[in-house]
């Protein structure tokens, strides 16, 4: 199993910084629009990983963030992943080019129309509704979402 972070950075113009994953070879997120983040390094806390990954991928230093939930991904193709989900609305620095894809400030009302994992739409909706800290389990067969549970209760998928 692996631990990762994912962060959705918001600005004051009603936009979210997304990464369009179009540059990496053999990318399980190929062509999808996601937040920024990545895998833990040895001895890192979730916040250590969050801050390092956001800086490495965007050039931004977060100054204000919120831990929103833990998302457990179960798949028939990939190892189980525990993703620590954050949002942020405070940062300094200038956005740089990312070697994993193209960074773009996207209007929040456009996000649901972009290619993404079905499970991402569930947690993005929870964030938009400002649901307090949550635990979300997402089960995939290939790229198809087959089951989901929020705080232990099954959801319709």
């Amino acid at each position: 199993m692996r631990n990762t972070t994912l962060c959705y950075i918001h600005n004051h113009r009603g936009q979210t910084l997304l990464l369009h994953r179009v540059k990496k070879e053999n990318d399980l997120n190929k062509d999808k629009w996601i937040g920024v983040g990545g895998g833990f390094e040895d001895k890192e806390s979730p916040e250590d990983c969050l801050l390092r990954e956001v800086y490495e991928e965007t050039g931004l230093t977060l100054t204000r963030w919120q831990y929103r939930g833990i998302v457990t991904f179960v798949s028939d193709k990939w190892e189980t992943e525990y993703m620590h989900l954050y949002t942020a609305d405070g940062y300094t620095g200038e956005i740089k080019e990312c070697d994993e894809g193209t960074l773009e400030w996207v209007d929040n009302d456009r996000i649901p129309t972009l290619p993404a994992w079905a499970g991402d739409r569930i947690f993005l909706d929870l964030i938009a509704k400002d649901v307090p800290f949550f635990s979300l389990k997402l089960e995939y067969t290939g790229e198809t979402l087959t089951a989901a549970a929020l705080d232990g209760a099954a959801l319709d998928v």
Side-chain angles (χ1 to χ4, degrees), residues 60-74:
L60 300 177
T61 299
L62 295 182
T63 59
R64 188 168 63 194
W65 61 89
Q66 182 179 0
Y67 194 178
R68 303 304 298 269
I70 181 106
V71 181
T72 303
F73 291 100
V74 177

Side-chain angles (χ1 to χ4, degrees), residues 11 15 25 37 42 45 47 49 53 62-63 69-70 76 80 91 110-111 115 124-125 130 136-137 140 142 145 149 154:
N11 67 23
Q15 298 173 316
E25 293 286 323
D42 187 39
S45 70
E47 293 74 23
C49 180
E53 284 286 348
L62 295 182
T63 59
I70 181 106
D76 65 335
T80 298
Y91 51 87
R110 188 173 149 231
I111 293 172
L124 287 169
D125 185 56
D130 209 21
L136 180 65
K137 182 177 183 183
Y140 284 89
L145 182 65

Side-chain angles (χ1 to χ4, degrees), residues 2-156:
R2 56 183 285 217
N3 277 285
T4 63
T5 58
L6 189 69
C7 186
Y8 289 89
I9 302 169
H10 305 291
N11 67 23
H12 65 279
R13 295 181 304 277
Q15 298 173 316
T16 300
L17 185 63
L18 295 180
L19 179 59
H20 189 197
R21 297 288 293 249
V22 293
K23 294 184 181 178
K24 245 173 124 176
E25 293 286 323
N26 304 313
D27 185 357
L28 69 95
N29 291 305
K30 184 158 180 52
D31 295 328
K32 295 190 173 50
W33 292 78
I34 64 171
V36 294
F40 281 40
E41 291 184 354
D42 187 39
K43 298 180 179 51
E44 281 189 323
S45 70
E47 293 74 23
D48 293 337
C49 180
L50 165 74
L51 296 172
R52 178 185 53 77
E53 284 286 348
V54 167
Y55 182 75
E56 287 177 1
E57 290 186 3
T58 69
L60 300 177
T61 299
L62 295 182
T63 59
R64 188 168 63 194
W65 61 89
Q66 182 179 0
Y67 194 178
R68 303 304 298 269
I70 181 106
V71 181
T72 303
F73 291 100
V74 177
S75 168
D76 65 335
K77 291 174 71 174
W78 300 289
E79 68 182 321
T80 298
E81 177 181 341
Y82 300 99
M83 184 182 76
H84 303 262
L85 182 62
Y86 291 85
T87 56
D89 62 4
Y91 51 87
T92 61
E94 298 293 323
I95 293 177
K96 65 172 190 144
E97 188 170 326
C98 179
D99 61 4
E100 296 183 12
T102 304
L103 291 164
E104 182 179 329
W105 287 107
V106 176
D107 292 334
N108 291 338
D109 60 355
R110 188 173 149 231
I111 293 172
T113 69
L114 299 173
W117 292 98
D120 290 17
R121 298 194 192 288
I122 295 171
F123 63 71
L124 287 169
D125 185 56
L126 294 170
I127 289 170
K129 291 177 177 171
D130 209 21
V131 171
F133 191 90
F134 57 85
S135 175
L136 180 65
K137 182 177 183 183
L138 302 170
E139 297 182 43
Y140 284 89
T141 300
E143 292 196 14
T144 302
L145 182 65
T146 55
L150 177 61
D151 295 326
L155 298 174
D156 292 330

